[in-house]
Amino acid sequence: MIPRRMAATMLAAGVALGASAQSSPEAEIAKYREALAAGNPAELWEARGEDLWKQKRGPKNASLEACDLGKGAGVVKGAYAEMPRYFADADRVMDLETRLAHCMVTLQGFRFEDATKRVFGAGTNRSDFESLAAWITSEARGTTMNVALAHPKEREAYQLGEKMFYFRGGPHDFACATCHGESSKRIRLQDLPNLTEKAGAQLAYTTWPAYRVSQGELRTFQWRLNDCYRQQRFPDLKFASDASIALTTFLARNANGAAFNAPAIKR
Amino acid sequence: MADPMRIRAAERDGVVNVKILMSHEMETGQRKDASGKIVPAHFISKVTATHQGKTVLSAQWGTAVAKNPFLEFNFKGGKKGEKIAVTWEDNKGETRTDETTIN
C-alpha cells in the first residue's frame, strides 16, 4: 500500500519547512506525527477486539471473558502494564499474545495451530490477535508500567532477553543493540530509540501496539520483534516462543515506571 | 458486512465538530498482487453526513483517499443530544450507515 496519508502530510511539512528553514528535521517529523495522531485508525481495531473478546467462538462456544490476564479472570483494565508475567496454570511466563493463544485453546477449544494460523493481518484478512491486543492494550492506557519479576521464571526470562538483546549474529553480525544502543540515530524518518537508556526504553515500549500508516495495519509487540529479526536477517522469531517472550520481558521491564500510551500511530 | 465506523460529535459555542473513522481498504486499482494481477479498485465513492435528517456534508471520493480514512468537519446549528448519521457507499455498491449523538 502506498502511504498516501503520509505523502499528503509530508507535502504540508515540506511547505512549513520552506517557511522556517531553521527548524530541524526532527521538529518537522514531530509535526507530521502530530498531524497523524488526530484520527488514529487503531480505534477500528479496538472496537473489533472488544467485540471478539465477548463473542462466543470455537468448538466450546465460549467467549474469552473468563480469560485470566494476570489480574484475575476477565480483568482487562491495566493488565497489559504488568505483562509478561508468570502464569501458574501454564507454568510459564507469557506475554499478552501468548496468553490469548493459551485462552483460545483452553477456554474456546481451538487447537493451537488453528488459533495461531493468522497472527499478523494483511488487508481484509484480519488477525484476531491484533484486534484483541488493540483493545486490551487500550484498556491499559495511562497505567504505569509495572513488570514485577517476582517469580524466578520471570527473572530467568529477563536475563535470557538481555542476552538476546546483546547477542550478535546472522549474516550482518547484528545485535538488537547495534541499532538500539546509541542515542539520536534514525533510519529515514524513524527515530531509533536507544533501548539501553531508561527514557528510550520507556518511550519505545509504551507506544506499541501501533497503527502503521505505511501498512494500514495495527501491529503488536510480537510483530515488532518479528520484523526486527527479519531486518537483522535472523531466523524467523516464532510467535509465542520462549525467545520472543524473553525479549519482550526484558524490554517491558526496562520500561517500568512510565505511563503506558498505546495503541499509538507510527509512520 | 463492513466494519462499523467510529463517529464522535461534540458541540461547542454552536459549532459541532464531527470526527469520523471509516474502515475501508481503499484500493486504487493500480497495485498488483504477488502473482502480477491488478488488484481491482475498491474505494468509497460517496460520503453523506446528516444532522436530524438534513444533509450537512456530502462528498464524492476517489482513489486518492487513504486506507481507513479519517474525516473531520464542523457545522453550525447542531445541539447536544441530537443525532448525526454518516453513510458511505463504495464503487462496488456496498454501503454502511452509522449514527451517533452530539455531546
Side-chain angles (χ1 to χ4, degrees), chain A residues 1 4-5 43 48 211, chain B residues 3 8 31 63 65 68:
Chain A
M1 168 61 70
R4 273 160 287 153
R5 189 192 298 261
E43 274 186 43
R48 203 177 296 123
Y211 180 79
Chain B
D3 281 324
R8 268 180 296 212
R31 291 197 316 148
T63 54
V65 176
N68 299 324

Side-chain angles (χ1 to χ4, degrees), chain A residues 1-2 4-5 38-41 43-45 47-48 123-124 126 211 215-217, chain B residues 3-4 6 8 21-23 25-28 31 63-70:
Chain A
M1 168 61 70
I2 305 160
R4 273 160 287 153
R5 189 192 298 261
N40 187 350
E43 274 186 43
L44 299 169
W45 273 257
R48 203 177 296 123
T124 45
R126 312 251 185 234
Y211 180 79
Q215 303 179 2
E217 298 284 348
Chain B
D3 281 324
R6 301 283 269 181
R8 268 180 296 212
L21 263 173
M22 304 169 209
S23 179
E25 279 305 302
M26 300 301 288
E27 275 295 344
T28 60
R31 291 197 316 148
T63 54
V65 176
K67 180 174 176 175
N68 299 324
F70 172 68

Side-chain angles (χ1 to χ4, degrees), chain B residues 9-12 16 51-52 75 77-85 99-103:
Chain B
E11 186 267 340
R12 236 186 108 189
V16 180
H51 162 240
Q52 302 286 89
F75 73 92
K79 293 191 188 66
K80 289 188 199 327
E82 292 178 342
K83 291 257 193 286
I84 296 283
E99 63 170 35
T100 192
T101 308
I102 302 173
N103 59 30

Side-chain angles (χ1 to χ4, degrees), chain B residues 1-98:
Chain B
M1 176 95 156
D3 281 324
M5 285 176 249
R6 301 283 269 181
I7 310 171
R8 268 180 296 212
E11 186 267 340
R12 236 186 108 189
D13 302 330
V15 176
V16 180
N17 173 260
V18 186
K19 292 188 169 98
I20 311 158
L21 263 173
M22 304 169 209
S23 179
H24 203 282
E25 279 305 302
M26 300 301 288
E27 275 295 344
T28 60
Q30 313 250 20
R31 291 197 316 148
K32 287 174 182 166
D33 64 14
S35 58
K37 278 201 213 99
I38 295 237
V39 183
H42 186 204
F43 57 89
I44 294 174
S45 51
K46 206 175 154 195
V47 182
T48 316
T50 58
H51 162 240
Q52 302 286 89
K54 182 183 159 228
T55 302
V56 287
L57 176 136
S58 141
Q60 293 175 345
W61 279 8
T63 54
V65 176
K67 180 174 176 175
N68 299 324
F70 172 68
L71 173 67
E72 180 176 1
F73 69 93
N74 295 311
F75 73 92
K76 275 186 197 163
K79 293 191 188 66
K80 289 188 199 327
E82 292 178 342
K83 291 257 193 286
I84 296 283
V86 180
T87 303
W88 58 250
E89 192 185 320
D90 69 21
N91 64 325
K92 291 186 181 172
E94 259 181 81
T95 178
R96 165 111 214 164
T97 302
D98 289 285

Side-chain angles (χ1 to χ4, degrees), chain A residues 101-152:
Chain A
H102 175 85
C103 286
M104 288 174 189
V105 171
T106 55
L107 296 175
Q108 299 184 315
F110 285 111
R111 283 166 52 224
F112 182 80
E113 303 76 56
D114 294 335
T116 56
K117 220 170 235 164
R118 186 172 290 124
V119 291
F120 307 132
T124 45
N125 295 324
R126 312 251 185 234
S127 158
D128 293 350
F129 287 93
E130 288 172 345
S131 298
L132 284 164
W135 179 62
I136 292 162
T137 55
S138 78
E139 288 287 300
R141 196 188 287 277
T143 314
T144 306
M145 283 299 304
N146 183 23
V147 177
L149 298 193
H151 193 275

Side-chain angles (χ1 to χ4, degrees), chain A residues 78-95:
Chain A
Y80 189 71
E82 294 174 23
M83 294 177 103
R85 70 192 296 157
Y86 175 77
F87 289 91
D89 57 0
D91 189 28
R92 196 179 161 201
V93 177
M94 290 173 157
D95 67 344

